[in-house]
Amino acid sequence: MRKGTLATLDVPRPVPERPVPERRVPERRVPERPVPAPRILVVDDEPRIRDFVSRALTAAGYLVEVACDGASAMARAAGGGFALVVLDLVMPGLDGQAVLAELIRRQPDQAVLVLSCLEDVPTKVACLEFGAKDYLTKPFSLDELLARIRARLRGDGHPAGDVIRAGELSLDTWRLRADIGAGPVELTRLEFLLLRELMEHPGTSVPKEQLLASVWGLQFDPGSNVVDVCVRRLRSKLGFETIRTVRGEGYQLAIS
């Protein structure tokens, strides 16, 4: 070492610490509870049809209970819990229309699909007015019955308590009430369904045959005036100018 120079020391550099890998704790999956299958009550006094429908619904994954007459149907339905009641009309004792009216009176939310040999329009209209969600005539296609049941169990597309609006008009889908600014007015189920169909097609005319099919579940009948009668009742409740007649086409909601 030369005189007048400083000695340098080799200082070892610190060795960087290696990060300790985190120990991953495996997530504990909570097993999902299976969704219970919908319960369906099949009411029919004909054993052959009752057994055929119940077997088909069971094979489709539904929980099925059966009743052979109106009295036993009311007893089974008293506790509630049925997603759908498939109801015949022509039965001994308490007939299907009486059962339907009493069911809806006790449980307004109960979904009912009428399955009957009666195919006249007044009977269909009466059942829908009572509160039935759908009407299918015998003889029937099993595929169509299952499709209608799936459609009923999917619901109407609007959750309970939902309010549809079109301009100043509002429609309460839960209470079946319409309000155009003068206070809510009560609607029958058919009036509600027809008005909702018009409100879901704002600015366009809806053909009478489409209204007849979607509201009444009927094929177009040139001699039927049920659509016109229902429109007339809605106009008397909401004002004549609320629904416009489009000549040669159908009806249109006149509110922008």
Side-chain angles (χ1 to χ4, degrees):
M1 180 183 300
R2 293 183 182 180
K3 190 177 180 179
T5 62
L6 297 175
T8 60
L9 299 175
D10 293 330
V11 180
R13 295 181 179 180
V15 179
E17 295 182 359
R18 292 183 179 180
V20 178
E22 294 183 1
R23 184 179 179 183
R24 293 185 178 181
V25 179
E27 295 182 0
R28 294 180 61 187
R29 290 190 175 184
V30 179
E32 296 182 358
R33 293 182 178 179
V35 179
R39 294 175 64 218
I40 297 178
L41 176 62
V42 177
V43 186
D44 202 305
D45 66 316
E46 296 184 43
R48 182 176 57 86
I49 294 179
R50 187 175 64 243
D51 295 344
F52 172 70
V53 172
S54 63
R55 285 199 305 269
L57 294 180
T58 301
Y62 301 109
L63 299 176
V64 181
E65 296 186 27
V66 297
C68 60
D69 55 39
S72 59
M74 292 304 306
R76 286 187 175 276
F82 288 103
L84 182 70
V85 175
V86 179
L87 178 64
D88 183 27
L89 294 184
V90 182
M91 294 185 294
L94 194 64
D95 68 15
Q97 289 196 44
V99 172
L100 172 62
E102 185 63 17
L103 268 179
I104 299 302
R105 187 188 69 81
R106 294 183 184 181
Q107 304 171 40
D109 304 332
Q110 179 63 66
V112 178
L113 185 152
V114 174
L115 183 63
S116 174
C117 60
L118 302 179
E119 56 184 11
D120 60 289
V121 173
T123 298
K124 293 181 179 181
V125 171
C127 289
L128 292 169
E129 287 280 17
F130 279 141
K133 294 287 188 181
D134 205 349
Y135 194 113
L136 183 61
T137 56
K138 303 174 183 176
F140 59 93
S141 160
L142 179 59
D143 288 339
E144 182 180 3
L145 175 63
L146 292 174
R148 286 176 181 251
I149 288 174
R150 288 192 296 268
R152 289 306 102 200
L153 296 181
R154 281 198 301 268
D156 291 330
H158 298 285
D162 194 13
V163 176
I164 308 173
R165 301 185 185 277
E168 297 180 352
L169 178 62
S170 64
L171 182 63
D172 189 326
T173 64
W174 181 246
R175 297 180 177 86
L176 305 190
R177 294 176 181 173
D179 191 346
I180 199 168
V185 294
E186 302 285 342
L187 302 178
T188 67
R189 185 168 294 275
L190 289 178
E191 292 166 355
F192 162 77
L193 292 173
L194 191 147
L195 184 59
R196 187 182 68 178
E197 187 73 17
L198 293 175
M199 293 179 72
E200 290 181 343
H201 298 82
T204 60
S205 61
V206 182
K208 288 178 62 176
E209 53 265 35
Q210 180 177 333
L211 293 171
L212 197 64
S214 61
V215 177
W216 283 268
L218 305 175
Q219 298 298 322
F220 181 63
D221 179 5
S224 174
N225 68 339
V226 292
V227 176
D228 307 304
V229 172
C230 195
V231 167
R232 192 157 55 242
R233 294 204 305 259
L234 280 171
R235 284 171 170 168
S236 69
K237 293 182 177 182
L238 301 174
F240 184 84
E241 67 284 353
T242 304
I243 300 175
R244 179 185 300 127
T245 301
V246 182
R247 193 172 299 276
E249 295 185 24
Y251 291 103
Q252 178 181 348
L253 196 67
I255 297 175
S256 58

